[in-house]
Amino acid sequence: MSNQIELTYYVSPDDFTRAGEASSDVKSKLKQMGVSPEAVRKVAIAMYEGEINMVIHADGGTINVIISADEIVMILKDKGPGIPDIELAMQDGYSTAPDNVRALGFGAGMGLPNMKKYSDEMDIQTELGVGTTVTMKVFL
């Protein structure tokens, strides 16, 4: 892969029917490009979890994906409420998802932990009342 590829996706707020479309599209593109199945799997899971978090907790947002020969970078940016306690939010099973979201089968508190688990690097920048930017990298 000689050239860098940049993709941008818009995540709609509260739209569970379309949640996952961006990660599915990236997964398909990576497979077509011949990226290793393990890297494709990591990107798809990490990005899907982030997408769902944007639908549940924020007013949607954008995902920028940068694919280069060395890595895949996913930048998820929202204008949601921010994360009051990142350390607490990173704990398996901790969730602030409302009951109606849990009734749909989402909000089990594994989003951020899985994002970290399936990315090689993850950084969270958040400001209460302003939004959150999560940057994840998967090395190739």
Side-chain angles (χ1 to χ4, degrees):
M1 199 176 337
S2 59
N3 296 336
Q4 180 171 292
I5 297 171
E6 296 187 30
L7 307 167
T8 300
Y9 300 92
Y10 299 95
V11 178
S12 300
D14 298 318
D15 189 352
F16 289 96
T17 60
R18 296 191 56 213
E21 285 183 0
S23 54
S24 180
D25 187 64
V26 170
K27 178 181 177 180
S28 176
K29 284 178 170 52
L30 293 175
K31 283 182 175 182
Q32 290 173 353
M33 296 167 74
V35 173
S36 76
E38 179 59 23
V40 171
R41 180 175 175 270
K42 289 169 70 173
V43 167
I45 293 170
M47 193 168 149
Y48 175 79
E49 293 286 6
E51 236 179 304
I52 292 297
N53 277 355
M54 292 170 91
V55 171
I56 294 172
H57 301 289
D59 194 20
T62 60
I63 302 175
N64 292 304
V65 180
I66 303 158
I67 305 164
S68 67
D70 301 330
E71 65 187 8
I72 299 161
V73 179
M74 298 156 277
I75 303 164
L76 293 75
K77 185 173 182 136
D78 68 52
K79 292 184 175 151
I83 303 170
D85 186 337
I86 293 173
E87 189 175 322
L88 182 60
M90 291 299 298
Q91 293 180 15
D92 289 355
Y94 176 78
S95 178
T96 58
D99 290 339
N100 65 319
V101 170
R102 291 173 187 250
L104 295 172
F106 298 101
M110 294 307 296
L112 285 173
N114 276 339
M115 290 164 71
K116 183 168 180 63
K117 178 180 177 180
Y118 289 101
S119 59
D120 295 318
E121 282 183 10
M122 185 171 100
D123 176 68
I124 301 172
Q125 298 296 317
T126 189
E127 188 175 342
L128 295 181
V130 176
T132 301
T133 300
V134 178
T135 303
M136 297 179 288
K137 294 181 181 180
V138 172
F139 300 124
L140 300 176

